[in-house]
Amino acid sequence: PSLVSIQRSSTSPIVILASSALFSCDRLVASPVVICLTADEGTVMERTKKYKHRPLLNVEDPKLKIRMLLAKRAPLYAKADHVIDTGKFTARQVVEKIMEIAK
């Protein structure tokens, strides 16, 4: 999975993963701070509808698939220390919120 790490300090990094990577990352729980970036199904649909390289959404009913994926992932998302609904904020605001948490 692709991974971006913002180093908060040498002992407590913030790790940012794509949601699909969460299911293959056994070390997630070892991270001291877990931040879930989420969005509702309408926002996800709007953001992904123009991309054809999204294999999970290359189905007859992508909105239904998004709904199913969000439901399947909800228990894992609920374990996060912080949840940021990215549908309510600009990218810059999301970064600012992450940086506030990292302080």
Side-chain angles (χ1 to χ4, degrees), residues 1-88:
S2 63
L3 165 76
V4 177
S5 177
I6 300 173
Q7 196 68 26
R8 182 169 64 177
S9 75
S10 61
T11 58
S12 57
I14 293 178
V15 178
I16 303 169
L17 298 168
S19 60
S20 58
L22 293 176
F23 290 95
S24 61
C25 185
D26 296 332
R27 295 181 298 159
L28 177 66
V29 292
S31 177
V33 176
V34 177
I35 302 170
C36 176
L37 304 181
T38 189
D40 62 46
E41 77 179 62
T43 301
V44 174
M45 184 68 193
E46 185 63 31
R47 290 178 180 169
T48 60
K49 69 181 179 184
K50 61 186 170 198
Y51 299 106
K52 301 299 179 202
H53 68 282
R54 313 247 352 163
L56 288 176
L57 300 179
N58 287 338
V59 295
E60 188 173 320
D61 188 349
K63 194 165 189 170
L64 175 61
K65 184 67 172 185
I66 290 167
R67 190 176 312 124
M68 290 169 54
L69 288 169
L70 289 174
K72 178 182 178 184
R73 295 171 181 176
L76 186 59
Y77 293 170
K79 293 179 182 180
D81 299 305
H82 304 273
V83 177
I84 300 172
D85 183 344
T86 63
K88 297 180 179 179

